[in-house]
Amino acid sequence: MAHTPGGIDCSIPLESQVGGHPGVRTSEDGSLLIKPALPREVAFYQSVAGDPGFAPLRPFVPKFYGTLRLEGKVDESAASAESGGSLKVVEHVVAEEEKDKLSLPMPTSSLVLENLSHSFSKPNILDIKLGTVLYDDEASPEKRARMEKTARETTSLETGVRLTGFQVYDLVTGKAVNTPKSYGKSITASDLPHGIARFFPIAPDVPTPQAIAPGAAENDAPGDRPAQGTGLPADILAPLLESLREDIAEIRAALTEVHLRMVGASLLVVYEADWERARAGLEWLEEGGDEDEDEEDEDDEDEEDAEGKKRVGPPYTVKLIDFAHTKIVPGAGPDEGVLKGVDTVLQLLDGRIEQVKAVIAAKEKAATE
């Protein structure tokens, strides 16, 4: 039985949050995420964990360990079989102003989930908001009109995606370079390839005019270009992107099998910025490490090797997150707006893969001349 990482009685704010509402915290060791939860999101995670009809989605959502109630009692009834033991209590922090933003009751419990960025040394993180509809059936007429306007004025309605925010590590400074929500709200559909290139930059020492999307340079605002220390070498980035694309294609297939309306849900992509660990992660994948991953849950406590470094694992992860406004709708079919968004992501990855492979080909050609 998998064990539950401990230390959530001493929680700290999540430093690497690039999207969503404030108030998310992590356990002291960073392995768990403690997120304010509304009943609909709790119900969704319980359905995914226990309903066979949602089995296709299970590999593509964060591991669910249970819930904690605000009054300080462990909600054992909501804990999944993965928890494997009692959960300690954590202080629950939610900004009062979020109540107005959500137009819903304040959360009464917190979800306890795996922290998807915990296994990475230098996690590059992208939150992609999915769907063409940005309001649920409980939205007031005023909020519905506002969200319809937002969808029209951003990339959501046309493409089914919006780049909510992302961070990319600068290996020179050792710090993450953050791109805020305002960037994703300001760009058009034609700018999305540029945004994806900013999140998947090619290391500057690789000579290429395609390190960013064509035409991006002249459209950049001051400070808009990726930092000089960001990016993976093209020979690492290309296979990483190809494997990531395969996983997202599997997510799309899973979404066609479940009847949901996913308002405000996101595709979260995390990948390793450290060159050595990213390359080792690709080798781990080639050796079938991902096939044995589920069997290794019981060894989660051994997250570091003898030298104190994090164990080698996959060079990236991609999951669906944020289900506060997700509704189960039996018989209504899949969410076509969300599927449209996933198709857009696949197309954007196809374009970036083509660019990175062109860089590799140009470098190989230059080497032979």
Side-chain angles (χ1 to χ4, degrees):
M1 180 180 291
H3 88 295
T4 301
I8 62 174
D9 54 332
C10 299
S11 70
I12 58 176
L14 177 64
E15 293 183 358
S16 59
Q17 185 174 358
V18 297
H21 295 287
V24 180
R25 303 175 72 83
T26 67
S27 55
E28 189 175 19
D29 67 357
S31 63
L32 294 178
L33 205 68
I34 303 101
K35 177 189 176 184
L38 293 163
R40 184 179 286 185
E41 188 161 22
V42 174
F44 173 80
Y45 273 101
Q46 290 172 333
S47 295
V48 171
D51 188 336
F54 288 93
L57 275 186
R58 285 178 195 156
F60 306 117
V61 299
K63 291 178 183 177
F64 171 55
Y65 292 104
T67 65
L68 297 174
R69 295 193 186 279
L70 271 177
E71 58 266 31
K73 297 179 181 178
V74 176
D75 185 5
E76 297 178 350
S77 64
S80 71
E82 292 191 56
S83 62
S86 62
L87 296 172
K88 297 181 181 180
V89 178
V90 60
E91 180 185 1
H92 186 127
V93 179
V94 182
E96 180 64 27
E97 58 268 23
E98 287 302 300
K99 182 176 180 180
D100 294 331
K101 292 181 181 179
L102 290 171
S103 298
L104 289 169
M106 289 294 285
T108 58
S109 62
S110 289
L111 289 167
V112 183
L113 307 168
E114 67 172 319
N115 181 2
L116 297 173
S117 65
H118 178 61
S119 64
F120 297 87
S121 174
K122 292 180 173 59
N124 291 344
I125 306 173
L126 170 63
D127 183 308
I128 306 174
K129 194 66 65 181
L130 296 173
T132 56
V133 178
L134 306 183
Y135 58 88
D136 63 19
D137 53 10
E138 296 179 2
S140 66
E142 294 77 14
K143 182 173 183 179
R144 175 172 177 161
R146 188 171 69 252
M147 292 296 98
E148 288 176 342
K149 183 174 184 288
T150 297
R152 290 193 304 269
E153 294 179 349
T154 64
T155 56
S156 292
L157 184 61
E158 182 178 350
T159 69
V161 302
R162 187 172 79 238
L163 305 184
T164 305
F166 54 90
Q167 71 171 37
V168 179
Y169 262 86
D170 184 331
L171 299 181
V172 174
T173 65
K175 297 180 180 180
V177 179
N178 288 287
T179 298
K181 294 181 181 180
S182 57
Y183 170 76
K185 289 183 176 181
S186 68
I187 63 175
T188 65
S190 63
D191 298 320
L192 285 171
H194 174 214
I196 291 299
R198 285 183 57 173
F199 180 63
F200 293 109
I202 300 173
D205 64 341
V206 179
T208 170
Q210 293 178 306
I212 57 173
E218 58 268 28
N219 296 325
D220 282 340
D224 204 29
R225 294 284 296 279
Q228 288 302 303
T230 62
L232 291 175
D235 66 320
I236 300 177
L237 186 57
L240 186 151
L241 287 171
E242 289 178 323
S243 183
L244 173 64
R245 192 203 183 284
E246 291 176 3
D247 284 1
I248 294 176
E250 290 181 13
I251 289 175
R252 191 197 188 284
L255 286 170
T256 64
E257 298 183 43
V258 292
H259 297 187
L260 298 170
R261 293 298 174 265
M262 301 175 68
V263 176
S266 291
L267 196 65
L268 190 76
V269 180
V270 186
Y271 75 96
E272 183 60 68
D274 181 275
W275 293 13
E276 181 180 346
R277 287 185 59 83
R279 196 180 297 277
L282 287 173
E283 294 174 356
W284 180 88
L285 283 179
E286 292 173 359
E287 294 169 359
D290 55 334
E291 298 175 2
D292 302 326
E293 195 171 10
D294 291 338
E295 301 175 5
E296 295 175 356
D297 283 345
E298 60 188 29
D299 298 323
D300 282 348
E301 65 271 15
D302 300 323
E303 293 175 347
E304 297 183 349
D305 59 22
E307 298 179 356
K309 296 181 180 180
K310 291 187 177 182
R311 289 186 304 167
V312 172
Y316 68 88
T317 188
V318 56
K319 303 283 184 179
L320 293 164
I321 63 167
D322 293 342
F323 306 107
H325 303 278
T326 291
K327 185 177 182 180
I328 299 171
V329 286
D335 191 319
E336 295 297 336
V338 168
L339 291 176
K340 180 177 184 177
V342 177
D343 286 338
T344 297
V345 174
L346 291 172
Q347 292 166 11
L348 290 168
L349 287 176
D350 286 339
R352 189 55 176 159
I353 290 169
E354 183 179 349
Q355 291 174 355
V356 176
K357 285 187 172 181
V359 168
I360 295 173
K363 186 176 181 181
E364 292 174 345
K365 181 179 179 181
T368 60
E369 293 178 350

